[in-house]
Amino acid sequence: RASCRSSSSSRRRRRWPRSCTPPPAPTTPTCPPAPRWQTPRRPTRRCRNALMFNNELMADVHFIVGPLGGSQKVPAHKYVLAVGSSVFCAMFYGDLAEEDSEIHIPDVEPAAFLILLKYMYSDEIDLEADTVLATLYAAKKYIVPALAKACVTFLETSLEAKNACVLLSQSRLFEEPELTQRCWEVIDAQAELALGSEGFCEIDLQTLEIILRRETLNTKEVVVFEAAMNWAAAECKRQCLGPTTRNRREVLGKALFLVRIPSMTLEEFADGAAQCDILTLEETHNLFLWYTAAKKPHLDFPLTARQGLAPQRCHRFQSSAYRSNQWRYRGRCDSIQFAVDKRIFIAGLGLYGSSGGKAEYSAKIELKRQGVTLAQNLTKFVSDGSSSTFPVGFEHPVQVEQDAFYTVSVVLDGNELSYFGQEGMTEVQCGKVTFQFQCSSDSTNGTGVQGGQIPELVFYA
């Protein structure tokens, strides 16, 4: 028993040798601080991915974007780009994959490339007017269709006469038929504004020739001729040539002979093209003979005038009437609101005239949207005393967007008694365009949906 107690006591008193240390107590393993993309504030994969955009962290490729002297170095991650673009997938993981860690892209603007990458990392699209065309080019180059579609939509919504010719040139280059069609709608209807814009002088020669061949340009030929001369001067400057007659004819080439000079009036030709040194003496002589002589000389210019666009009229009344004690003008305003289901171009109004015989009217017409004046004109028209409508136009057709209400107004000064409309319609189908009408608070002379003045809207569709 004693030996057993001694052995048990020895086990209880055992100590570790002085040269050894006891094993550490078990502890919970600690992790390094969470990166920014792993924090609770970034709950989705898209949010976490977005933080890696234009980020050097774990970047395995760099792009040198832009031309020499204006390039920018952009970090990226091959996997993200390959997932979003078949071009990048082939570039990084295809049979002929790039092995360089730096890839030069001199034909893409840095700002556009960053917009492309931001979309691929985060699905966010930030488009601006100054960079949208360059972004469309980048989206087309790297086959990112959703971004390309967003660019086209942005261009369509920002399309107007001053940029329509430039966008026509680009839409042809990018093979975007819907955008091309929208450009033509604006150029045809607002030809004078489009051809007189700075953007027209920036187009390429092929686009110039296509525009000059256009049958439906809604403007006088003198405007077309002046636009061609302005383009020639700008092209000479681009080619570092003096704006001499010889140089302007040379840069124009056959485009000069697409201008339909014989369709001008003799007065328009004499005051304009005849005094412009772009024509030779023989050409000027033959053109004068063509205007005046019985035997017409041969001309190298097209002889027939352009067809232009045929205006359409939306008539909102089913009948008109006259009663001697009604519908007078005393400087008060007739006004109505309307909306359309397609983009159109309002050219002017059709108005009722005098019910007491022939009379001249002074008319101030106006088009507004949400209180902002888009167009106005002060002009005159002569009424023959019938119940017919008489067109009064704006200086230039005005683009009207779909599904938004606009207000048209007129203040007439002339024969006080007038015809007026009855049985007005709240909705009118005119060709492929549906008009909706509602009363306007600007109307102080009685015009409304059911009756009154402003029987017609004159438009191009």
Side-chain angles (χ1 to χ4, degrees):
R1 291 179 185 172
S3 66
C4 289
R5 285 197 296 270
S6 174
S7 174
S8 174
S9 175
S10 174
R11 284 198 300 270
R12 285 196 297 269
R13 295 171 185 169
R14 181 179 297 171
R15 296 287 186 269
W16 294 99
R18 294 183 180 179
S19 60
C20 298
T21 58
T27 59
T28 303
T30 59
C31 296
R36 287 189 303 157
W37 65 88
Q38 294 179 357
T39 63
R41 296 181 181 180
R42 309 290 176 179
T44 66
R45 183 169 57 235
R46 186 177 69 85
C47 292
R48 295 190 292 272
N49 239 22
L51 285 175
M52 302 303 289
F53 162 66
N54 201 18
N55 194 332
E56 287 285 355
L57 185 63
M58 293 190 288
D60 52 1
V61 66
H62 289 80
F63 295 94
I64 310 301
V65 187
L68 187 64
S71 61
Q72 180 177 339
K73 189 174 183 179
V74 180
H77 307 80
K78 292 181 180 180
Y79 169 75
V80 176
L81 273 58
V83 169
S85 162
S86 59
V87 175
F88 283 126
C89 184
M91 181 185 296
F92 299 135
Y93 302 109
D95 294 337
L96 301 175
E98 291 275 358
E99 296 182 359
D100 294 339
S101 60
E102 288 190 353
I103 299 174
H104 292 259
I105 308 179
D107 60 330
V108 176
E109 294 182 11
F113 192 75
L114 288 171
I115 293 172
L116 172 72
L117 260 60
K118 185 174 184 178
Y119 169 73
M120 298 178 75
Y121 276 84
S122 66
D123 290 337
E124 294 181 17
I125 300 177
D126 295 326
L127 298 176
E128 296 180 0
D130 294 340
T131 57
V132 64
L133 283 173
T135 305
L136 178 58
Y137 173 79
K140 288 279 187 176
K141 177 174 180 175
Y142 294 104
I143 312 181
V144 184
L147 180 59
K149 183 177 181 181
C151 290
V152 171
T153 301
F154 182 94
L155 291 170
E156 286 182 348
T157 57
S158 61
L159 177 63
E160 52 187 341
K162 67 181 181 181
N163 62 12
C165 294
V166 171
L167 293 184
L168 174 67
S169 176
Q170 297 298 321
S171 67
R172 291 179 55 253
L173 176 66
F174 295 134
E175 298 181 345
E176 290 289 345
E178 292 184 10
L179 179 57
T180 299
Q181 178 58 34
R182 283 286 298 121
C183 290
W184 278 126
E185 291 173 6
V186 175
I187 294 170
D188 282 342
Q190 298 180 308
E192 187 170 347
L193 294 175
L195 271 59
S197 66
E198 293 182 5
F200 177 81
C201 295
E202 299 173 6
I203 62 177
D204 59 279
L205 177 60
Q206 188 177 12
T207 303
L208 172 70
E209 292 175 355
I210 292 172
I211 292 175
L212 295 183
R213 288 192 180 96
R214 188 74 172 174
E215 188 69 33
T216 46
L217 292 179
N218 202 41
T219 189
K220 294 183 177 180
E221 202 63 26
V222 289
V223 173
V224 179
F225 178 81
E226 291 171 2
M229 295 303 101
N230 292 336
W231 183 91
E235 182 65 15
C236 285
K237 187 175 181 179
R238 280 191 290 271
Q239 297 187 22
C240 299
L241 301 172
T244 63
T245 299
R246 179 177 179 180
N247 289 339
R248 285 184 293 155
R249 280 187 71 108
E250 186 173 342
V251 298
L252 278 169
K254 64 181 181 181
L256 174 63
F257 299 97
L258 298 176
V259 182
R260 306 185 183 191
I261 294 178
S263 68
M264 300 178 188
T265 66
L266 175 58
E267 184 179 1
E268 288 172 341
F269 171 68
D271 290 341
Q275 298 186 41
C276 178
D277 58 1
I278 197 73
L279 301 177
T280 65
L281 287 175
E282 182 181 3
E283 289 166 348
T284 304
H285 176 263
N286 286 341
L287 280 161
F288 270 119
L289 288 179
W290 191 89
Y291 281 109
T292 57
K295 185 179 180 180
K296 308 293 185 183
H298 170 76
L299 298 177
D300 293 325
F301 299 92
L303 305 181
T304 58
R306 301 177 196 273
Q307 292 181 1
L309 292 177
Q312 301 181 52
R313 297 190 177 198
C314 174
H315 198 92
R316 66 188 190 91
F317 294 127
Q318 299 182 64
S319 65
S320 61
Y322 162 69
R323 290 193 291 274
S324 60
N325 63 339
Q326 282 195 349
W327 224 265
R328 300 168 180 265
Y329 300 113
R330 295 172 181 171
R332 292 179 296 199
C333 178
D334 288 294
S335 184
I336 193 74
Q337 287 190 322
F338 73 94
V340 289
D341 63 344
K342 291 180 176 63
R343 291 191 188 97
I344 64 170
F345 298 86
I346 293 292
L349 311 178
L351 302 176
Y352 287 125
S354 169
S355 58
K358 184 177 180 179
E360 182 180 72
Y361 283 91
S362 173
K364 180 182 178 181
I365 60 174
E366 189 173 42
L367 175 66
K368 296 190 295 185
R369 180 181 180 182
Q370 296 179 342
V372 177
T373 299
L374 304 179
Q376 60 181 3
N377 193 22
L378 179 60
T379 185
K380 294 182 179 181
F381 72 94
V382 176
S383 165
D384 60 8
S386 71
S387 60
S388 301
T389 58
F390 302 92
V392 179
F394 294 109
E395 185 177 0
H396 303 290
V398 185
Q399 182 169 306
V400 166
E401 300 296 334
Q402 65 186 42
D403 301 328
F405 272 95
Y406 293 77
T407 303
V408 286
S409 304
V410 59
V411 176
L412 287 168
D413 185 17
N415 192 328
E416 191 173 335
L417 298 178
S418 166
Y419 287 92
F420 60 94
Q422 297 183 128
E423 301 177 281
M425 296 172 283
T426 58
E427 184 173 299
V428 179
Q429 185 74 31
C430 191
K432 296 182 179 180
V433 183
T434 301
F435 288 79
Q436 288 186 333
F437 293 97
Q438 65 182 29
C439 295
S440 168
S441 59
D442 292 346
S443 189
T444 58
N445 196 44
T447 286
V449 172
Q450 297 301 317
Q453 183 56 273
I454 315 181
E456 288 179 337
L457 299 181
V458 184
F459 69 100
Y460 300 110

